[in-house]
Amino acid sequence: MESKHGSFKTIHLRTEKHIDFYDITSEIESQVSDSGVRDGILLVFTPHTTAGITINENADPSVRSDIREFISRNIPHQSYFKHLEGNSPSHIMSSLFSVSETIIIQDGQLVLGTWQGIFFCEFDGPRNRKVYVKIIGD
Amino acid sequence: MESKHGSFKTIHLRTEKHIDFYDITSEIESQVSDSGVRDGILLVFTPHTTAGITINENADPSVRSDIREFISRNIPHQSYFKHLEGNSPSHIMSSLFSVSETIIIQDGQLVLGTWQGIFFCEFDGPRNRKVYVKIIGD
Amino acid sequence: MESKHGSFKTIHLRTEKHIDFYDITSEIESQVSDSGVRDGILLVFTPHTTAGITINENADPSVRSDIREFISRNIPHQSYFKHLEGNSPSHIMSSLFSVSETIIIQDGQLVLGTWQGIFFCEFDGPRNRKVYVKIIGD
């Protein structure tokens, strides 16, 4: 069997809000199909320090708005912060959500639950953002 | 050397409490032995949006009960939540803990610290739950 | 092409503070060069239950000090904690930050953003600590 590892793509996004979640599942599923990989893993990674990647419910959008509201209220600016850019809350959110997710590829399909979508997390928008997607497998 | 990548298994759990942590380390170690993989990585992934996977202390159970108590008190239901199912705290915990962990396989062994165990995190139980475990390597 | 998967190294650290972040990016980049792997992924994993790995800004050190201050104030000791070692906050931080990060290797380079560094997170120092770095690819 010919090795197919090495598929690497970049997704470009323009975010519109300060904090928001963008569903990138379908772009990623297309890349899995295009790669021809049947058996492996996929890494979604964003190269920004005030953004993240998360997997959560893709059905009711109020789940994302509740998460957004909760983190906005619970990770606010603090008078003791010293970072002059003023966006330390965005950096904290990035470390707590983390900048990547790893997903199984089995029988040529991304293995996600029925209600799971993959989301780019904007924590300091609006901005132009990138997400890297790497597939390794056969 | 024959390629061994591709080991994929499903662990089924019945959780008993609303929030709790279940040690799944030994099932995963058995899968590593059975796979014959000596050199690679292992991905533990749960396909639910109100659950997670974490690695933490496997010795004193009070560590897990302290974590449970802390997140229950600090990520409670909020009057401003809009998700009608009422389980937005469970979704927030899922994004903060994340739904997966990746672990090294070296010399045919899962590389964990002395006190580390792999735990399924129930954030909205009791429920029937699944965990997928994928091994890639040789 | 000769398979290069299997590079595995241990980084040893002596931490100085109770909570702090240590930049380990350059040690990890050296390992990528030494491995000869051009196309793959890299897993950074710490085998401790009161530590973590995160990716965040490597330019202004006040970002890390703001994160440290925020988690120290918001994840303090609680009178209801039962773990006798008294370091439950450190275990909670470990689960929230997680003990690993996975990064893409493309064209022989670690794929990080301009401002991203890889940090060992000490949540219960000072201590002697270890970080494992595993590369898989070709």
Side-chain angles (χ1 to χ4, degrees):
Chain A
M1 189 196 288
E2 186 194 358
S3 173
K4 303 273 190 11
H5 46 239
S7 171
F8 177 72
K9 284 204 178 160
T10 305
I11 298 171
H12 296 270
L13 296 99
R14 173 69 200 174
T15 62
E16 304 292 339
K17 297 191 182 164
H18 186 56
I19 298 180
D20 210 359
F21 299 92
Y22 297 84
D23 191 337
I24 54 176
T25 314
S26 63
E27 285 98 319
I28 294 171
E29 285 178 333
S30 298
Q31 184 179 342
V32 174
S33 303
D34 293 350
S35 74
V37 170
R38 308 269 323 150
D39 181 358
I41 60 173
L42 180 147
L43 175 59
V44 187
F45 184 99
T46 186
H48 307 289
T49 58
T50 54
I53 303 291
T54 198
I55 293 173
N56 216 307
E57 176 166 333
N58 63 0
D60 180 357
S62 70
V63 169
R64 273 110 72 196
S65 63
D66 287 355
I67 297 175
R68 182 175 62 223
E69 198 67 16
F70 184 84
I71 62 175
S72 300
R73 290 175 185 236
N74 286 279
I75 310 174
H77 186 73
Q78 305 287 339
S79 57
Y80 58 77
F81 283 160
K82 298 203 171 106
H83 183 46
L84 291 175
E85 281 189 82
N87 61 353
S88 288
S90 315
H91 288 287
I92 294 167
M93 292 173 195
S94 181
S95 275
L96 293 178
F97 282 72
S98 96
V99 294
S100 74
E101 289 289 343
T102 309
I103 304 145
I104 297 164
I105 298 172
Q106 196 69 17
D107 300 324
Q109 305 287 324
L110 211 53
V111 180
L112 288 171
T114 313
W115 309 109
Q116 282 183 323
I118 306 165
F119 295 89
F120 173 79
C121 314
E122 175 61 81
F123 297 130
D124 195 26
R127 291 188 189 223
N128 294 312
R129 297 295 205 175
K130 286 190 292 189
V131 175
Y132 299 133
V133 186
K134 175 76 173 175
I135 295 172
I136 61 171
D138 293 293
Chain B
M1 190 195 287
E2 187 195 357
S3 174
K4 305 269 189 16
H5 46 240
S7 171
F8 176 73
K9 285 205 178 158
T10 305
I11 298 171
H12 296 269
L13 298 96
R14 172 68 200 175
T15 63
E16 304 293 338
K17 297 192 182 165
H18 185 57
I19 298 181
D20 210 358
F21 299 92
Y22 297 84
D23 191 338
I24 53 175
T25 314
S26 62
E27 286 98 318
I28 294 171
E29 285 177 334
S30 298
Q31 184 179 342
V32 173
S33 302
D34 293 348
S35 74
V37 169
R38 309 269 322 152
D39 180 359
I41 59 173
L42 179 146
L43 175 59
V44 187
F45 185 100
T46 186
H48 307 289
T49 58
T50 54
I53 303 292
T54 198
I55 293 172
N56 216 306
E57 176 166 332
N58 63 0
D60 180 357
S62 70
V63 170
R64 273 112 69 197
S65 64
D66 287 355
I67 298 175
R68 183 175 61 224
E69 197 66 16
F70 184 84
I71 62 175
S72 300
R73 292 175 184 235
N74 286 278
I75 310 175
H77 186 72
Q78 305 286 338
S79 57
Y80 57 78
F81 283 161
K82 298 202 170 109
H83 183 47
L84 292 175
E85 280 189 81
N87 62 354
S88 287
S90 315
H91 288 285
I92 294 167
M93 292 172 195
S94 180
S95 275
L96 293 178
F97 281 73
S98 97
V99 294
S100 74
E101 288 290 342
T102 309
I103 304 144
I104 297 164
I105 298 172
Q106 196 69 17
D107 300 325
Q109 304 287 324
L110 211 52
V111 180
L112 289 171
T114 313
W115 309 109
Q116 282 182 324
I118 307 166
F119 295 89
F120 173 79
C121 315
E122 176 60 82
F123 297 131
D124 195 26
R127 291 189 190 223
N128 294 312
R129 298 295 205 174
K130 286 189 292 188
V131 175
Y132 299 133
V133 185
K134 174 77 175 175
I135 295 171
I136 61 171
D138 292 293
Chain C
M1 188 194 287
E2 186 195 357
S3 174
K4 305 272 190 12
H5 46 240
S7 172
F8 176 73
K9 285 203 177 159
T10 304
I11 298 170
H12 296 269
L13 297 98
R14 172 69 200 174
T15 63
E16 304 292 339
K17 297 191 182 164
H18 185 57
I19 298 181
D20 210 359
F21 300 92
Y22 296 83
D23 191 338
I24 54 175
T25 314
S26 62
E27 285 98 319
I28 293 171
E29 286 177 334
S30 299
Q31 185 180 342
V32 174
S33 304
D34 293 349
S35 73
V37 170
R38 309 269 322 151
D39 181 359
I41 59 174
L42 180 146
L43 175 59
V44 187
F45 184 100
T46 187
H48 307 288
T49 58
T50 55
I53 303 290
T54 198
I55 293 173
N56 216 308
E57 176 166 331
N58 62 1
D60 180 357
S62 70
V63 169
R64 272 111 71 196
S65 62
D66 287 355
I67 298 175
R68 182 174 62 222
E69 198 65 18
F70 185 83
I71 62 175
S72 301
R73 291 176 186 234
N74 286 279
I75 310 174
H77 186 72
Q78 305 287 338
S79 56
Y80 57 78
F81 284 161
K82 299 201 171 109
H83 183 48
L84 291 175
E85 280 190 82
N87 61 353
S88 288
S90 315
H91 288 286
I92 294 168
M93 292 172 195
S94 180
S95 275
L96 293 178
F97 281 72
S98 95
V99 294
S100 74
E101 289 289 342
T102 310
I103 303 143
I104 297 164
I105 298 172
Q106 196 69 17
D107 299 325
Q109 304 286 325
L110 212 52
V111 180
L112 289 171
T114 313
W115 310 109
Q116 281 182 325
I118 307 165
F119 295 88
F120 173 80
C121 314
E122 176 59 82
F123 298 130
D124 195 27
R127 290 188 189 223
N128 294 313
R129 298 295 205 175
K130 286 190 291 187
V131 176
Y132 300 133
V133 186
K134 174 77 173 175
I135 296 172
I136 61 170
D138 292 294

